[in-house]
Structures are given as C-alpha cells and as structure tokens.
C-alpha cells in the first residue's frame, strides 16, 4: 500500500505572486517552482486549514524514530525535478530517515540538480562547497542527483571529492540499492545508466504541495532539439502504465487532493505500455472521471504531439483545465528548423487556432529562446509577431545557453550576450503589454478559485483559476485554504487578477 505525506518546505518563502508570465531577465525555473509552492506556514499550522485528509503524517518511520538519520533535499529546476525529489524523499522515509528543514541539520544531503542552462548547473557546484568540510570530516554524506549528475558523471568526484553519490534520474529505480551502498561506507557510488525502459515508482511519495499533486506519467524524451540536454540527461522516453497512474490518482483523491498535474517533458506523447494502449487523451479522460478529482492539468506539451482531440476533450470535460503550455521556442521557421523542433511557424499557428476556436476560453502559455546561434533581427522580429498573433497569457523567455553534448554547441554565428539580453528585454516588454491588455478585459468576470495562499499581513487570499491565472482576493470569510470559491474580478495587473469573493457564491 502506498502512503501519501506532505511537508512544508520552509525554503520556499517567496510570496505567491508567480504567474505564467514573462519576467525581466533570465527566469530560473527554480524561482518558478519556489514561488509556485509557497503556501504560507500558517496554512499548515492552522488546524482549521483545509488540506488533503492524508496530509497529517501519522505512523511512518519518520515520526516513529526521531533519532533516525536525517536528510534534506535541495531541488533545482522544473516541476519534474520537484516531483522526483518528492519520490526520492519517499525512498529515504522508507529506509527510516527523517526529514529536516535545513541543510545544516542533515546527515544526508542531496542536491537534485538542473542543467538546462549553464547558470543552473554552475549553481550546483557552488552549493557543493557549502558543506565541504563537514563532508570531509564524515559529519555529512553528500549526493548529487538529477541532470547535472547524469551529465557530469564521475567528473563530479574529481571536482568535489567529498561527494559520495552521483545518480541521474534514469537510475532512480536503483536508489534503495545505491543508498545502501553509501550507508555501508561506499564512496563514489554511481547510478549513471541511460539505457532504461523503466519508470521511477515509489511506495511512499512525500508530497510538498497540499493542494496540487504532481504525478509523472512519462519520463525522458525521444526528441532531439539541437539546444537541449534533456535527451542526454533523462534518457529515452518511457511511459508509465495507465493502471498504475489511475491507482495513484485514486489514492490521491482518497487522500483529499482535488487537483492533479500530470507531468512529462513531452507529456502529450504519452503511450500506455500496457495492453490497453491508451493514448494521452484516453488517459486524460479517465483521470478526469475519478471521483473527487476536480481539476486535471498537464505539462509540458510538445507542439508536434498536440492534437485537435486534446482541445476537444478539454472543451467537453470541465475537470480538464483550460490551460495549455505549448512551448514554441521561436517564431522563425528557419530557426525552428535549426533547433530541430519538427514543426514550422505555420503549423504551430494552426494548432493555436484550434485553441482560439474552442468553446471554453483557454489560457495559453509558451516558452521562447532568444539569441539562438544565427538568429537574425528578422528571425527575432518573427518571434515578436508570433507573440502578437497567439496572444498568450505568459511567456517563459530564456537567453540561449550553449550546453555540452548538444548539436547547437558547434553552430556558427553565436549571438553576443548583450544582444541576447537586449532581445530578451524587448520580448518581455512586448509580452507584458499583451498581458496587461488581456487581463484588463477580465475585469468584471467571475472565476472559480482554488485557494492556496493566505497573505496574513494584509489579510488577502490567493489561488488559481482552472486556466491557471493567479487571483488575489479579499473576503470576510476565514479558513479558506484548499477550498474552491467564486471571485469577482475588480482590477488587473500584468501577472495576476485582483477581486472580491462573491458572497453566497461558495463552490463546494
Ligand atoms: N520539453 C519541453 C518542450 O519541448 O518544449 C521543454 C522542456 S525544457 C526542460 C524547458 C525549457 O527550457 C524549454 O522549453 C526551453 O525554452 C528552455 N531551454 C532548454 N534548453 C535551453 C538552452 N540550451 N538555452 C536556453 N533555454 C533552454
Ligand atoms: Fe528538450 Fe526538445 Fe525534448 Fe523538450 S522536446 S525536452 S526541448 S529535446
């Protein structure tokens, strides 16, 4: 039987002002995750706070044995990394470890890393120095997990000889065995297999977010975008069997979760490995039917696998959230070809026309890379006009970062850093104007909001609509965390909406 636990991570302290929006400068996904996760400590210490019923840790090895070895996991990167850490924490709990709130207090310190851009990877090596002396004095055991682990491999031991474990995500299924080796004094323990067709499933998952449960349905990636390390760090695509997914969603619903977010690098290329052979839409519809589940989200969709059936399924099924994150990367077909994205500008726009033509008012967000090698002013302008055409509610825009083992590393005509920064600033400003105009049109509208934050100082509540918009609102009611409420929008900002609860309009 699986157990679901959650824990509040005190490191995640930023206010929940995050939205699927463009931001100035390079947006680190670590920030996104941190902000997306802030739920306010009061929400968990308040006995009235509504949260999943199984959120109260009861009889686990965690609280049975307070003298157990302690662990702390610091996570960098995307939601998939966040969820991997939740499962790794489950593996440690199963082995009798106890979680602590600060790296300094942990016997076993794990860094779950991201190498999508150079900056993210560098940060990990800086962090590894923090507890160098403690590790050398055998007061701590340090492990590196995730994309940097897979990418740098045993080189990490050369750069940081005090590290004991290096394990990439394709090897997580072997973690219990690898941890056992570390516990018996093993040094330089590695899990660096890439060749796998298995997914990482755990008996216990220690969920950090009490309102939205992440669930990976597909791991790895079979695309080969010329700028991207993921196929090299996460291995080949492998989908999880539909039975196992549905069983976990049922357990989550029983535990009180009402919102599920299905995860995968290319989530919509899901192919059920079981004899049922479900496609992504079959799975979506089955998850949406599970009793107690009110919202089903998914990310990230690849445009090549994005079908009209997905839009039709969302249109016909209220529990499927009307938000699509569909990374375009560039508006120039020439650059898309160089990026090996497998679609042209016009094909992307055709898919967006399905979304614009839907009955429900979908929210759309996308990712863009500026300054890819050889990107001309005309290519960049094509990206700007694409943003005008698609009218998205948020853009995660990144400066191109050359990465090891990727084909684009050898491409000529690198764009200077200052020029990348200039283009990023122009793009972010253009998108900000789009969002200001779009959000203004929502004044007067009414949205159902799942409340996930209470800003105690200003007594304001916040949550998300089914379209993933952030709504800050006031109300005379109390104890709203985890509840669905109706909010009337009175003001707008580029990244969020502001309103008041519709009294008597509570949604159950
Ligand atoms: N699988 C998703 C897709 O196909 O769009 C993207 C996953 S990737 C982890 C998240 C985002 O990071 C990408 O959409 C891209 O915008 C950005 N990214 C990936 N490699 C990058 C690089 N070398 N430089 C800058 N941004 C990059
Ligand atoms: Fe990277 Fe492309 Fe795979 Fe997305 S689809 S993870 S960008 S290789």
């Amino acid at each position: 039987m699986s157990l679901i636990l959650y824990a509040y991570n005190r490191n995640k302290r930023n206010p929940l002002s995050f939205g699927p929006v463009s931001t100035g400068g390079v947006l680190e996904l670590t920030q996104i995750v941190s902000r997306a996760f802030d739920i306010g400590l009061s929400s968990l210490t308040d006995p009235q706070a509504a949260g999943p019923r199984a959120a109260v840790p009861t009889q686990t090895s965690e609280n049975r044995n307070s003298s157990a070895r302690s662990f702390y996991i610091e996570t960098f990167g995307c939601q998939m990394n966040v969820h991997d850490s939740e499962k790794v924490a489950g593996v440690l709990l199963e082995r009798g470890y106890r979680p602590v709130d600060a790296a300094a207090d942990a016997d076993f310190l794990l860094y779950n890393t991201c190498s999508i851009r150079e900056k993210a990877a560098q940060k990990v090596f800086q962090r590894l120095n923090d507890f160098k002396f403690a590790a050398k004095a055998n007061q701590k055991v340090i492990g590196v997990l995730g994309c940097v682990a897979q990418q740098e491999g045993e080189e990490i031991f050369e750069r940081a000889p005090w590290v004991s474990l290096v394990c990439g995500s394709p090897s997580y299924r072997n973690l219990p065995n690898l941890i056992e080796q570390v516990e018996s004094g093993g040094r330089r323990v590695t899990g660096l297999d890439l060749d796998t067709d298995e997914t990482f499933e755990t008996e216990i998952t220690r969920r950090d977010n009490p309102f939205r449960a992440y669930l990976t349905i597909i791991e790895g990636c079979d695309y080969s975008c010329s700028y991207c390390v993921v196929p090299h760090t996460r291995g080949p695509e492998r989908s999880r069997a539909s039975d196992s997914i549905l069983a976990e969603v049922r357990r989550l619903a029983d535990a009180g979760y009402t919102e599920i977010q299905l995860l995968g690098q290319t989530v919509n290329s899901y192919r059920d490995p079981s004899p049922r052979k479900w496609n992504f839409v079959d799975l979506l519809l089955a998850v949406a039917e599970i009793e107690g589940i009110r919202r089903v989200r998914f990310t990230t969709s690849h445009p090549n696998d994005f079908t009209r059936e997905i839009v039709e399924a969302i249109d016909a099924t209220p529990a499927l959230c009307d938000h699509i994150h569909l990374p375009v990367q560039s508006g120039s077909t020439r650059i898309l070809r160089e990026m090996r994205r497998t679609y042209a500008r016009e094909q992307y726009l055709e898919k967006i026309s399905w979304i614009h033509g839907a009955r429900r008012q979908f929210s759309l967000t996308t990712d863009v890379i500026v300054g890819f090698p050889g990107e001309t002013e005309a290519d960049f302008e094509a990206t700007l006009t694409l943003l005008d055409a698609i009218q998205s509610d948020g853009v995660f825009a990144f400066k191109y970062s050359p990465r090891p083992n990727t084909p684009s590393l050898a491409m000529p005509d690198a764009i200077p850093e200052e020029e990348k920064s200039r283009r990023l600033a122009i793009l972010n400003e253009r998108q900000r104007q789009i969002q200001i105009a779009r959000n203004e049109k929502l004044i007067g509208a009414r949205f159902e909001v799942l409340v996930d934050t209470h800003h105690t100082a200003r007594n304001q509540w916040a949550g998300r609509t089914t379209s993933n918009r952030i709504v800050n609102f006031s109300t005379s009611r109390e104890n709203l965390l985890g509840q669905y409420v109706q909010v009337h929008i009175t003001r707008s900002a580029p990244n969020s909406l502001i309103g008041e609860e519709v009294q008597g309009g509570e949604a159950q």
Side-chain angles (χ1 to χ4, degrees):
M1 202 187 81
S2 294
L3 210 59
I4 301 151
L5 303 173
Y6 77 60
Y8 175 74
N9 184 341
R10 282 178 202 172
N11 267 0
K12 298 179 177 149
R13 59 174 84 87
N14 295 327
L16 189 87
S17 55
F18 151 75
V21 294
S22 58
T23 65
V26 178
L27 179 63
E28 291 296 338
L29 285 184
T30 325
Q31 281 173 270
I32 299 173
V33 169
S34 301
R35 286 193 239 168
F37 263 59
D38 183 74
I39 50 175
L41 188 59
S42 57
S43 69
L44 298 179
T45 50
D46 176 357
Q48 301 294 319
R53 287 188 296 281
V56 185
T58 49
Q59 276 288 301
T60 68
S61 44
E62 173 186 354
N63 57 13
R64 272 201 302 266
N65 183 2
S66 60
S67 65
R69 288 155 300 175
S70 56
F71 75 94
Y72 182 88
I73 306 177
E74 181 168 354
T75 307
F76 302 81
C78 61
Q79 284 122 324
M80 288 202 66
N81 263 13
V82 170
H83 185 43
D84 282 347
S85 291
E86 292 178 337
K87 291 193 278 186
V88 171
V91 170
L92 289 164
L93 286 169
E94 253 183 325
R95 294 192 67 79
Y97 284 79
R98 122 190 106 81
V100 287
D101 288 337
D105 299 333
D107 303 321
F108 194 11
L109 185 51
L110 290 164
Y111 295 101
N112 188 4
T113 62
C114 169
S115 64
I116 203 88
R117 280 169 295 279
E118 193 184 0
K119 239 182 166 176
Q122 277 170 354
K123 209 185 272 174
V124 175
F125 283 103
Q126 286 161 12
R127 272 294 197 290
L128 284 180
N129 283 318
D130 288 355
F131 296 100
K132 173 178 168 176
F133 295 110
K136 282 184 166 176
N138 290 328
Q139 289 159 353
K140 272 192 200 308
V141 174
I142 296 186
V144 181
L145 307 178
C147 293
V148 174
Q150 191 68 45
Q151 186 173 290
E152 303 292 327
E154 303 202 8
E155 177 65 26
I156 293 176
F157 298 129
E158 303 307 318
R159 289 179 68 174
W162 54 93
V163 168
S164 298
L165 169 70
V166 170
C167 178
S169 66
S171 301
Y172 285 166
R173 66 200 186 287
N174 294 332
L175 259 184
N177 173 27
L178 299 174
I179 292 169
E180 200 172 316
Q181 288 178 42
V182 172
E183 283 165 351
S184 11
R187 289 292 170 261
R188 297 191 166 218
V189 174
T190 54
L192 295 169
D193 277 359
L194 255 189
D195 191 16
T196 177
D197 53 7
E198 287 180 54
T199 51
F200 175 41
E201 294 177 34
T202 50
E203 286 294 304
I204 298 178
T205 298
R206 182 180 182 267
R207 288 196 151 77
D208 284 331
N209 188 326
F211 307 112
R212 177 184 291 183
Y214 290 131
L215 202 152
T216 299
I217 62 165
I218 176 167
E219 294 175 14
C221 178
D222 278 351
Y223 285 93
S224 50
C225 302
S226 60
Y227 52 82
C228 184
V229 291
V230 168
H232 181 71
T233 57
R234 286 192 167 265
E237 187 178 290
R238 49 217 187 269
S239 294
R240 185 174 167 189
S242 53
D243 266 348
S244 156
I245 295 170
L246 295 182
E248 185 164 356
V249 176
R250 278 189 212 102
R251 285 196 299 270
L252 288 165
D254 287 347
Y257 279 98
T258 57
E259 183 172 315
I260 301 290
Q261 182 157 350
L262 305 177
L263 299 178
Q265 290 296 345
T266 54
V267 73
N268 54 333
S269 68
Y270 175 81
R271 261 167 299 183
D272 186 1
S274 74
R276 266 181 183 155
K277 294 197 182 321
W278 275 357
N279 65 21
F280 180 60
V281 170
D282 298 329
L283 181 74
L284 274 184
L285 293 171
V287 172
E289 266 181 19
I290 290 177
E291 204 182 323
I293 297 303
R294 288 176 67 153
R295 289 183 174 184
V296 182
R297 302 185 182 283
F298 54 90
T299 194
T300 295
S301 296
H302 192 290
N304 193 47
D305 300 302
F306 191 76
T307 59
R308 204 189 269 272
E309 287 70 41
I310 297 176
V311 177
E312 287 168 358
I314 295 173
D315 240 354
T317 318
L320 297 179
C321 290
D322 45 0
H323 167 226
I324 303 286
H325 183 62
L326 199 63
V328 64
Q329 314 299 1
S330 171
S332 154
T333 295
R334 191 183 73 80
I335 293 293
L336 288 172
R337 201 178 309 119
E338 295 293 309
M339 288 177 162
R340 302 189 189 163
R341 283 295 287 179
T342 74
Y343 54 86
R345 174 189 173 101
E346 292 313 320
Q347 288 165 312
Y348 183 85
L349 287 175
E350 188 192 358
K351 296 184 185 227
I352 298 303
S353 73
W354 303 337
I355 295 174
H356 286 166
R359 283 190 298 280
R360 289 172 79 185
Q361 292 228 324
F362 283 51
S363 167
L364 171 72
T365 52
T366 190
D367 291 352
V368 168
I369 297 177
V370 298
F372 188 78
E375 184 189 69
T376 62
E377 200 55 45
D379 292 321
F380 176 59
E381 186 56 34
T383 300
L384 296 179
T385 58
L386 181 128
L387 293 186
D388 291 341
I390 67 174
Q391 291 290 302
S392 80
D393 293 299
V395 173
F396 297 106
F398 308 103
K399 291 193 277 187
Y400 167 72
S401 172
R403 304 306 298 126
N405 307 309
T406 58
S408 63
L409 197 58
M411 287 182 183
D413 302 326
I415 308 295
E417 273 310 299
E418 319 78 77
E419 179 57 17
K420 286 186 207 168
S421 301
R422 186 187 72 85
R423 292 182 189 178
L424 185 66
I426 292 172
L427 185 145
N428 279 331
E429 181 50 29
R430 183 92 153 235
Q431 178 59 26
R432 206 175 82 89
Q433 295 305 327
I434 291 173
Q435 287 173 219
I436 287 173
R438 286 183 63 74
N439 283 352
E440 264 173 13
K441 288 189 192 140
L442 297 173
I443 294 174
R446 177 173 163 161
F447 286 106
E448 183 182 78
V449 172
L450 170 55
V451 185
D452 57 21
T453 305
H454 183 212
H455 300 293
T456 323
R458 51 182 199 269
N459 194 22
Q460 201 178 39
W461 301 83
R464 285 174 189 259
T465 64
T466 162
S467 53
N468 215 28
R469 292 185 169 91
I470 289 181
V471 177
N472 294 293
F473 66 97
S474 45
T475 177
S476 55
R477 292 204 298 147
E478 291 180 357
N479 303 326
L480 292 181
L481 287 170
Q483 297 202 26
Y484 289 83
V485 303
Q486 299 289 324
V487 178
H488 174 76
I489 304 303
T490 53
R491 282 183 295 140
S492 69
N495 303 333
S496 61
L497 302 170
I498 301 116
E500 282 158 18
E501 188 190 4
V502 178
Q503 296 297 334
E506 298 96 58
Q508 290 314 307

